[in-house]
């Protein structure tokens, strides 16, 4: 039986439809594409990392440009790390191409656009560039309340209420509950909401550190029972977080000056312990380091109520929490204060 020339083979029709959809999206269904152009830089290197997976990539800048492709299933938040240790968030969504335009001498004016999430974040940064920290926090809270379903709100919550110089756990708990209700499928928000809720019950100042146990990268078991020095510090850090590495060096110097009076346990949120071990060995850091490759799903984070990187908890010899989540400078000052006779 002859097929009419007006009829179309079903297989061919499916292929044509797939081709049409692929072309209409601009990118394959599982690929994110970032195109960047910067003034005042000819060549160099930037880092792109994913805090949720620990993946860190190096991108080469040539003639002020770079291109970055990433295969993914869901929208994720990436951070672009610049040589001056500043960073900018990029929201990567499958089948999306995003543009980045800026000047390395004025990075805060960088524009990232091409998707609703990045457009919103760029608008927020442009609006708050000249505002004071309290004003920016007020704008962040307003944004979160108005965009509870947006991944941008999750970033702003973490950035301005948990990683600020003075974390506002009460406000973070309130806002996170709103996000958790609006984003029931977001596992990170669910974990953060649980950790913030538990934070009200323990690891606050004046409370006893809850029991915990973990295996270090050397194969030893570390627990709160071994933290019996005059001053004990638990430090959460990562190789992809420059900000978290500053305290490492300060603690090394304090530990040398006060032998036997300070105990340190570090928790690394890398996907693999290799690079973390290299940094610790390079800087002659001998204290126990935990890196179980579970990232934010690590049980020790939930046990200690740690929800961000960097993070720190200070206890006395009785295991009582005396401070937590201090800045690098404040952490050093607090330890020196506690070591005074």
């Amino acid at each position: 039986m002859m097929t009419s020339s007006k009829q179309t083979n079903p297989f061919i029709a499916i292929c044509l439809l797939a081709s049409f959809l692929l072309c209409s999206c601009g990118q394959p269904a599982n690929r994110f594409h970032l195109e960047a152009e910067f003034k005042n830089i000819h060549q160099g290197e930037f880092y792109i990392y994913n805090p949720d997976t620990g993946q860190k990539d190096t991108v080469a800048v040539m003639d002020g440009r770079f291109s970055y492709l990433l295969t993914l299933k869901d929208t994720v938040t990436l951070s672009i790390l610049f040589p001056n240790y500043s960073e900018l968030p990029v929201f990567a969504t499958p089948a999306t191409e995003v543009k980045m335009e800026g000047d390395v001498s004025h990075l805060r004016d960088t524009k990232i656009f091409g998707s609703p999430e990045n457009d919103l974040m760029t608008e927020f940064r442009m609006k708050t560039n000249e505002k004071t920290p309290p004003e920016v926090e007020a704008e962040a809270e307003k944004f979160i309340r108005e965009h509870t379903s947006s991944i941008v709100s999750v970033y702003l919550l973490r950035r301005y209420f948990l990683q600020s110089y003075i974390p506002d756990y009460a406000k973070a708990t309130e806002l996170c509950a709103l996000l958790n209700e609006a984003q029931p499928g977001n596992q990170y928000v669910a974990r953060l909401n649980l950790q913030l809720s538990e934070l009200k019950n323990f690891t606050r100042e004046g409370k006893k550190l809850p029991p915990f146990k973990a295996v270090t990268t050397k194969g030893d078991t570390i627990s709160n029972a071994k933290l019996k020095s005059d001053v004990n510090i638990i430090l959460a850090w990562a190789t992809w977080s420059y900000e978290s590495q500053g305290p490492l060096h300060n603690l090394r110097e304090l530990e040398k000056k006060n032998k036997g009076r300070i105990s340190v346990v570090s928790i690394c949120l890398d996907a693999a312990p290799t690079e973390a071990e290299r940094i610790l060995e390079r800087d002659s850091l001998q204290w126990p380091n935990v890196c179980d490759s579970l990232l934010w799903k690590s049980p020790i984070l939930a046990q200690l109520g740690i929800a961000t990187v960097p993070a720190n908890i200070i206890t006395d010899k009785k295991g009582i929490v005396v401070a937590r989540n201090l800045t690098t400078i404040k952490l050093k000052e607090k330890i020196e204060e506690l070591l005074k006779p």
Side-chain angles (χ1 to χ4, degrees), residues 194-244:
L194 178 61
Q195 289 171 329
L196 287 172
S197 298
E198 292 176 341
L199 190 61
K200 294 185 296 185
N201 301 319
F202 59 79
T203 66
R204 292 181 300 173
E205 292 181 26
K207 296 287 186 178
K208 194 171 182 64
L209 190 72
F212 74 90
K213 183 179 291 186
V215 177
T216 71
T217 52
K218 302 296 186 184
D220 302 319
T221 299
I222 184 70
S223 69
N224 55 318
K226 296 184 179 180
L227 299 179
K228 299 297 184 182
S229 299
D230 292 337
V231 180
N232 307 279
I233 305 99
I234 298 173
L235 182 74
W237 71 292
T239 62
W240 40 260
S241 170
Y242 290 134
E243 187 181 2
S244 72

Side-chain angles (χ1 to χ4, degrees), residues 62-128:
M62 297 297 295
D63 296 323
R65 300 171 181 267
F66 74 81
S67 180
Y68 179 71
L69 293 172
L70 180 65
T71 300
L72 41 78
K73 295 180 180 179
D74 301 303
T75 299
V76 299
T77 303
L78 305 175
S79 282
I80 311 293
L81 293 174
F82 298 97
N84 67 348
Y85 302 112
S86 62
E87 60 181 85
L88 288 174
V90 174
F91 303 97
T93 302
T96 302
E97 181 171 349
V98 168
K99 303 286 187 181
M100 175 183 284
E101 296 177 356
D103 187 324
V104 291
S105 59
H106 300 90
L107 285 174
R108 68 178 185 174
D109 295 326
T110 300
K111 294 182 179 179
I112 305 171
F113 54 92
S115 71
E117 298 85 3
N118 288 292
D119 293 346
L120 275 174
M121 187 66 217
T122 295
E123 181 182 349
F124 177 86
R125 286 193 294 104
M126 296 302 109
K127 182 178 180 180
T128 58

Side-chain angles (χ1 to χ4, degrees), residues 121-291:
M121 187 66 217
T122 295
E123 181 182 349
F124 177 86
R125 286 193 294 104
M126 296 302 109
K127 182 178 180 180
T128 58
N129 267 348
E130 303 301 326
K131 292 183 179 294
T132 64
E135 290 173 332
V136 176
E137 287 184 12
E139 289 292 341
E141 180 181 355
K142 179 182 177 183
F143 183 100
I144 292 169
R145 292 186 182 279
E146 293 176 352
H147 302 84
T148 54
S149 298
S150 175
I151 192 173
V152 180
S153 293
V154 180
Y155 170 81
L156 294 178
L157 171 67
R158 185 168 57 189
R159 170 65 181 83
Y160 292 105
F161 297 97
L162 292 174
Q163 295 177 336
S164 61
Y165 287 118
I166 304 177
D168 189 340
Y169 293 110
K171 184 65 68 178
T173 302
E174 177 186 349
L175 295 175
C176 191
L178 297 177
L179 299 185
N180 191 47
E181 182 178 353
Q183 303 182 40
N186 192 321
Q187 294 183 0
Y188 172 77
V189 172
R191 289 196 303 271
L192 182 60
N193 188 57
L194 178 61
Q195 289 171 329
L196 287 172
S197 298
E198 292 176 341
L199 190 61
K200 294 185 296 185
N201 301 319
F202 59 79
T203 66
R204 292 181 300 173
E205 292 181 26
K207 296 287 186 178
K208 194 171 182 64
L209 190 72
F212 74 90
K213 183 179 291 186
V215 177
T216 71
T217 52
K218 302 296 186 184
D220 302 319
T221 299
I222 184 70
S223 69
N224 55 318
K226 296 184 179 180
L227 299 179
K228 299 297 184 182
S229 299
D230 292 337
V231 180
N232 307 279
I233 305 99
I234 298 173
L235 182 74
W237 71 292
T239 62
W240 40 260
S241 170
Y242 290 134
E243 187 181 2
S244 72
Q245 295 177 41
L248 295 176
H249 310 294
N250 283 346
L251 288 176
R252 179 190 60 186
E253 297 305 315
L254 287 169
E255 193 181 38
K256 284 182 178 179
K257 287 171 57 179
N258 302 274
K259 289 186 180 296
R261 299 191 64 197
I262 295 178
S263 291
V264 181
V265 174
S266 57
I267 304 169
C268 181
L269 272 81
D270 274 26
T274 310
E275 189 174 356
E277 285 296 293
R278 182 184 61 79
I279 290 176
L280 294 175
E281 291 176 5
R282 180 197 66 192
D283 296 339
S284 301
L285 304 176
Q286 304 296 325
W287 57 66
N289 182 62
V290 177
C291 185

